[in-house]
Amino acid sequence: MNGARIALFPGSFDPVTNGHLDVIQRAVRLFDEVIVGVGHNQTKAPIFTVEERLAQLREACARLPSVRVAAFSGLLTEAVRGFGAVAVVRGLRAVSDFEYEFQMALMNRELEPQCETIFLMPRAEYSFLSSTMIREIARLGGDISPFVPEAVARALVERLRVP
Ligand code: PNS
């Protein structure tokens, strides 16, 4: 789309949660195109490979035509430039998120003065959700189905099943 206002929503998405999807839906209303960027230069070993996370996100966003799911590596500011995004979108669940997000947003703007970050708040009922907690609950055999897309819940149970 010519002159389209593109936003980049970056994250690890290991796994994608209903909170992430809530933020994506909000971003869709504000931008012509939303690129969900799966960052893959993390040092910690993820539960799902980048390809699996891309597939899970594509399925979860299938009904949102203005959403594109893509992987990125290296600096976020480079990805912003590469995708032609006018803003980075990040979710803010609670005040506890703020310090890290504020630091990241300002550092990214220091690296690339054009790089603006927009914070969107997911619905209050998702404010306690995090991928880290989902992984832990799933590992310990708890029910994560209310918090993630159905296919992701199935894949998590399968992945963490003790043989
Ligand atoms: O879902 P997450 O784990 O909070 O996402 C973190 C992510 C991928 C957005 C962050 O780690 C990132 O931007 N990585 C790219 C490397 C980079 O640019 N680091 C400097 C940021 S100040």
Side-chain angles (χ1 to χ4, degrees):
M1 202 191 297
N2 237 353
R5 298 189 77 75
I6 299 170
L8 174 61
F9 178 41
S12 307
F13 305 107
D14 188 39
V16 59
T17 69
N18 292 341
H20 291 131
L21 296 175
D22 181 286
V23 170
I24 292 169
Q25 281 161 16
R26 285 170 203 283
V28 157
R29 288 187 220 121
L30 299 174
F31 294 94
D32 298 315
E33 187 178 2
V34 176
I35 297 173
V36 180
V38 179
H40 67 105
N41 43 9
Q42 253 81 22
T43 42
K44 55 190 179 196
I47 286 200
F48 293 115
T49 65
V50 174
E51 289 69 29
E52 287 169 328
R53 283 177 272 161
L54 290 172
Q56 289 164 355
L57 277 159
R58 284 190 183 121
E59 186 179 336
C61 298
R63 287 200 208 115
L64 300 168
S66 63
V67 171
R68 178 149 63 99
V69 179
F72 76 95
S73 56
L75 283 175
L76 181 61
T77 47
E78 293 298 322
V80 168
R81 202 201 307 251
F83 288 125
V86 295
V88 171
V89 166
R90 291 284 288 173
L92 262 193
R93 292 164 297 191
V95 177
S96 50
D97 280 342
F98 181 76
E99 206 168 329
Y100 169 67
E101 294 296 337
F102 183 68
Q103 191 182 9
M104 196 160 83
L106 290 190
M107 178 53 89
N108 284 330
R109 204 162 60 187
E110 198 62 31
L111 294 172
E112 171 58 67
Q114 302 284 324
C115 185
E116 295 295 350
T117 302
I118 306 248
F119 295 108
L120 296 175
M121 280 75 73
R123 267 158 64 178
E125 65 206 72
Y126 296 139
S127 59
F128 58 89
L129 265 187
S130 76
S131 299
T132 309
M133 257 185 203
I134 298 295
R135 290 195 300 268
E136 182 168 327
I137 295 166
R139 257 192 211 107
L140 298 172
D143 179 18
I144 37 95
S145 61
F147 313 125
V148 295
E150 207 183 310
V152 172
R154 270 188 271 113
L156 256 178
V157 170
E158 186 63 32
R159 182 62 44 97
L160 297 173
R161 181 177 288 160
V162 183

